[in-house]
Amino acid sequence: MNDASIVELLFERNEKAIEEMKQSYEKLCFYIAGNILSQKEDQEECVNSAYMDVWSSIPPNKPDNLKVYLCKLVKNCALNRKKYNSAAKRNSDFSVSLDELAECIPDGKSIEKTITDEQLGGAISVFLKSQPEKYRKVFVRRYWYSETLEDIAAFYDMNVKTVATYLFRVRKKLKAFLQKEGYIDE
């Protein structure tokens, strides 16, 4: 069943929509949650919570892309669970990947004008579309799917140092792009 049909079922409040979402996206949802959370129970809770959030938010929301909408809910839930579970602990691979982006992405405190997450996300999307495909895919695997450098290297049959270099170059270009566009100060 396609996404439009699932959204239609959600608007009709038909519970079959949840089963169809599970059939289409459960593996992807667990993959995303699993890259952030190590405990199977936490992963299951986040995925189920995301299904419930979809059920609760559609309608009135009508997402253009159900897959992206659901994945964003899973990721946000997993991030919140990770923050809750690790409170003061900051030694995980995921925290390291976010720290890598800290120099490129404004935190809202260091900039004078306020930008929304949507504006920043749009700017990053524009930037990534201008990058070579392999750089873009490595970036997304690291910072969206929270994969380790080793996993990315294995997937693309690359050296771990090469992956790290790709990421360094893209972060440097992203920072320059965001500065040029006025999202961060120089």
Side-chain angles (χ1 to χ4, degrees), residues 83-106:
K83 186 187 288 185
Y84 175 81
N85 286 350
S86 61
K89 297 180 232 170
R90 296 214 18 131
N91 58 358
S92 70
D93 288 335
F94 185 72
S95 293
V96 169
S97 73
L98 290 181
D99 289 343
E100 291 171 3
L101 277 178
E103 67 185 49
C104 305
I105 307 296

Side-chain angles (χ1 to χ4, degrees), residues 70-82:
L70 177 61
C71 289
K72 184 176 180 181
L73 290 172
V74 170
K75 185 172 185 179
N76 288 341
C77 182
L79 289 172
N80 290 337
R81 173 57 68 171
K82 180 75 168 179

